Amino acid sequence: MSPAPAGWRKSSRSSGCANCVEINLSQPDLVHIRDSKERGTGPTIAVTHRQWATLLDQIASSTP
């Protein structure tokens, strides 16, 4: 997969934690996701906005 474009942002809930993800919404059809510790040198995954919304819903429903 080619590198995702510039424009990464870290989760607002990270609060200095080392286990965070960053997302990039600069492409209209994809959400790019990466590990914040890698600082652009590690792998990224890309999902559709619908897949991203489904993932967030699943996470929210499993969080106590």
Side-chain angles (χ1 to χ4, degrees):
M1 176 182 296
S2 62
W8 292 95
R9 67 179 196 195
K10 190 184 275 192
S11 167
S12 61
R13 293 188 167 254
S14 66
S15 64
C17 178
N19 298 321
C20 302
V21 297
E22 295 176 322
I23 63 167
N24 185 314
L25 301 171
S26 63
Q27 290 184 330
D29 54 343
L30 294 173
V31 176
H32 293 271
I33 309 162
R34 71 181 182 189
D35 184 341
S36 63
K37 291 184 297 294
E38 300 293 330
R39 296 289 178 203
T41 60
T44 64
I45 60 172
V47 297
T48 66
H49 286 275
R50 176 174 277 182
Q51 291 168 322
W52 178 244
T54 299
L55 174 63
L56 294 180
D57 287 344
Q58 290 175 347
I59 292 168
S61 68
S62 66
T63 304

